[in-house]
Structure formats: C-alpha cells, structure tokens
Amino acid sequence: MTDIIHKYNHTKVKIVEGGSTRHRSIFNGLLAFSEQGVGSKLQKPKVVIIHDAVRPFIEEDFLLKITLAANKQGASGAVRPLVSTVVAATAGGYLDHSLERARYKASEMPQGFIYDIIYKAYQHCSEAEFEFGTECLELARQHCGTSAVLIEGPSSLWKVTYQRDLTSAEAVIKESVSQSACIITGECAETQNLSTWMKNGLMAEGMWVDAVPNIEQGMSRSTNRNFIKLSVNSPKSVEIGEFMKMCEETKDGLYPFVILWVHLNVLDQASFSQENDEASVIMTLAENAQKRNIFLSCVRVRYSKDSSERERRMNKLCQMTVALIRDRNAAFSGQILYA
C-alpha cells in the first residue's frame, strides 16, 4: 500500500492499522479523525464512506449517490436483489422457515454516514458486536436511531470471495482496458481531422475514446488506457523512442496495453529502403516494450483525394484499431500494417 501511495503521489491517504475483526478495523479508521487517534489527527469530514477491497469495481457516480444520500439522511447503503431464497434451519439441520425473498435485500458496500453518527455508534458498540457484527447500517440504527436510506447498486458490486472470483475479476479488468483508448492528435490539421474520424468510428464500435493534443495530457488523463499516436508521414525514430519511454515510465505493466502509431502518408510513396529502416526501428522498440507488457504496432494510411476511397481506408483503419486493442495479440507487436 505504501508503494502505491508513493508511486502515484497520493497526498491525502493515511494508512491505519486494521483490527482483529471487521468492526474493529472500521473503528480504527474512524479514530484517525478523532482526538483518540494514534499519530497526527486528520481533519474531521462531514461524511465518511466505508468500503471493502473485495468489491473493487465501484463506480464513481454510484459513490456520489451514496455520499449525497448519507449527507441528507445520516446514513445510506448499497443493496442488491437476493438471487436465492434465505432459509432458517433448526439445531438438528432441518428447515425451520424461509423468508419471503421479495421483502429482503442483500446488503452491499459502499455505505455512507455522517461522521458523528457512525463514530457515536461505534463508541457504543458492545464487545459482542465488535467480535461478531458485520452490518454498519444496523449499528447506526440501533445506537443512534438513524435509519439508512437504501440505494439499489449496480451489478458491478459483486464480491471477490473465492479463488475462482479472481479469474473473473481479472477478466473484468482486461475487458475494461480493451474498451478505452486515448488519441494523441498532434497540432496539424490533417491529424486532427483523422482523429475526429477515428474517434467517431471507434465509439461506434463501443469503445470509450478521448483525444488530446499531446502525450503529456494523455498521461495525466489515465494510466491504464491504450494510446493511438497520429503523425503525418513517417516519424523519426527518436520521436517514437521518446514516446515509448514516457509510456514505460508511467504504466504499471500489470496488464498488456497497446500503442498504435498511425502514419498518415500525404506525400509520395516512401522508398523501399525507408520502409525497411522504419520497420527495423519499430521492431527493436517493440521487442523492448513487450518486456513491460506494451504492444507497439504501426499502421500506414495512404491519403486519398477521392472521398469514397478515403472513407474506405478510414473504415479499415478503425477496424484494425479495434482488433489490435481488443485482442492485444503479441504476434502483431512490432509489425507495420497498411490500411
């Protein structure tokens, strides 16, 4: 955790030692804002959000809903429909009774609270609640008389509990990475026009696409997306090398991502020797980048004054881009393709 904080320069994160149970860990976090806390006291917030790491796919807009509801009501929590009927068993292992599923919900995280309410609730917790309790909303109701507003959460709130869930979580992350890209347009009119065309085409394929004029802005927007760098004619090897270096320094390398360098050729056809030199440079850079889980490919697009031919080539470029980013096939790393 400390390494992550330092790597991404998080200045508003305080690490608090957990407790032996869920409620003890949460209370330790709340104590960091109180006079009883260990170390430097943090500024007390009006609203606190309690979440757990086993639900890693929380969405920002849903966090906002929880926060606003907690600020208004005093407490709020995410719920999901029950997918199975809940039954009670006797001591002997026989069915005692079942619950009417339509009346009940599955309590999920995140949950939001006015800080003073949840802090007071934990101050009044019994030892039994600290040891065996699991529901924060019930503590606020029982000890402070605050009935939480329940908000239907998205399906992304599923819980990573078993070993098999790690495989599913990894698939979700990989799918997310393969659905987004940032286009580096440059400043010239030709590449900006090409960017507009590509952005519309890729979004029509279901991808989330942003466009920025330079790599610095692209890096500041995200650390997990794929990049599409546009240039007119063949770029210099130094330019490609510097771009790759910046990507390698900012990406964590946990999952493979794609850098697609698109050359819009508005001049005469490049000579055979020029293309060979370019191919050699791309191959060398791609081999080094692949060690960091970065797949570099290039696409050459011949500019055409004929509108129908130009449209055909642009459509082909978008199709190739979608395939390269979604498949992330290492076999295409270092290759120069033609659209």
Side-chain angles (χ1 to χ4, degrees):
M1 179 63 75
T2 302
D3 291 341
I4 294 174
I5 292 172
H6 290 160
K7 180 176 181 180
Y8 295 103
N9 196 30
H10 293 308
T11 59
K12 297 182 179 181
V13 177
K14 180 180 175 64
I15 298 177
V16 178
E17 185 175 351
S20 58
T21 65
R22 171 189 175 87
H23 278 330
R24 294 189 192 280
S25 294
I26 294 172
F27 192 34
N28 285 355
L30 295 171
L31 284 171
F33 300 102
S34 75
E35 298 292 347
Q36 303 177 43
V38 178
S40 59
K41 178 186 173 184
L42 302 178
Q43 181 179 355
K44 186 179 76 172
K46 181 177 181 182
V47 174
V48 292
I49 300 296
I50 298 175
H51 193 53
D52 48 25
V54 293
R55 295 179 178 86
F57 305 115
I58 178 65
E59 299 169 0
E60 185 177 351
D61 61 341
F62 188 69
L63 270 177
L64 180 60
K65 289 181 181 180
I66 291 291
T67 303
L68 294 176
N71 186 53
K72 181 178 180 180
Q73 177 66 20
S76 64
V79 294
R80 291 283 299 162
L82 287 174
V83 295
S84 299
T85 299
V86 178
V87 298
T90 65
Y94 295 95
L95 176 67
D96 183 69
H97 66 277
S98 63
L99 301 180
E100 185 182 345
R101 189 166 63 181
R103 291 186 55 204
Y104 295 87
K105 299 284 186 179
S107 179
E108 306 283 358
M109 303 299 280
Q111 295 174 350
F113 302 88
I114 296 291
Y115 175 81
D116 289 339
I117 290 176
I118 192 63
Y119 182 62
K120 178 182 176 182
Y122 272 97
Q123 285 182 310
H124 288 81
C125 268
S126 65
E127 281 298 313
E129 288 172 325
F130 270 123
E131 282 297 316
F132 306 110
T134 59
E135 181 53 73
C136 306
L137 299 179
E138 177 60 19
L139 293 181
R141 187 193 68 81
Q142 181 175 335
H143 296 299
C144 300
T146 301
S147 295
V149 59
L150 304 179
I151 303 175
E152 187 86 11
S155 59
S156 58
L157 291 181
W158 60 280
K159 188 176 181 181
V160 179
T161 305
Y162 304 105
Q163 181 67 33
R164 63 178 180 270
D165 295 331
L166 293 175
T167 303
S168 300
E170 185 176 17
V172 171
I173 295 173
K174 288 182 177 180
E175 178 68 14
S176 175
V177 172
S178 69
Q179 293 295 327
S180 62
C182 181
I183 301 176
I184 312 299
T185 66
E187 302 293 344
C188 68
E190 291 89 348
T191 54
Q192 290 182 357
N193 290 337
L194 176 58
S195 170
T196 300
W197 187 288
M198 287 194 71
K199 183 175 182 179
N200 292 335
L202 296 177
M203 291 179 69
E205 293 289 335
M207 292 187 64
W208 188 92
V209 184
D210 195 9
V212 296
N214 54 62
I215 181 61
E216 289 80 10
Q217 290 189 32
M219 293 297 180
S220 66
R221 296 286 183 89
S222 173
T223 58
N224 291 312
R225 288 183 295 180
N226 309 284
F227 287 108
I228 304 167
K229 177 67 174 72
L230 307 182
S231 63
V232 176
N233 302 319
S234 297
K236 297 179 180 179
S237 59
V238 175
E239 182 183 2
I240 302 178
E242 290 178 348
F243 185 91
M244 295 297 296
K245 184 178 180 180
M246 291 184 66
C247 291
E248 290 174 0
E249 290 175 348
T250 56
K251 296 288 181 174
D252 57 27
L254 182 60
Y255 295 102
F257 70 94
V258 172
I259 294 178
L260 183 62
W261 203 292
V262 179
H263 305 168
L264 180 61
N265 192 351
V266 298
L267 301 177
D268 294 333
Q269 186 71 28
S271 67
F272 182 75
S273 61
Q274 287 176 319
E275 291 191 356
N276 275 346
D277 290 342
E278 181 183 343
S280 178
V281 169
I282 295 298
M283 184 64 73
T284 301
L285 289 171
E287 288 175 353
N288 294 329
Q290 196 168 329
K291 298 173 184 177
R292 292 287 308 276
N293 254 351
I294 301 175
F295 296 160
L296 169 66
S297 300
C298 292
V299 177
R300 295 179 65 93
V301 183
R302 178 72 174 173
Y303 180 79
S304 175
K305 294 182 179 180
D306 180 74
S307 59
S308 60
E309 177 64 15
R310 186 165 62 247
E311 181 177 352
R312 186 189 70 83
R313 293 184 180 183
M314 293 300 104
N315 289 336
K316 185 67 174 178
L317 172 61
C318 288
Q319 292 172 5
M320 295 170 68
T321 300
V322 170
L324 288 168
I325 290 178
R326 286 185 175 168
D327 294 344
R328 296 190 299 280
N329 192 328
F332 290 102
S333 183
Q335 300 300 309
I336 297 180
L337 308 174
Y338 294 83

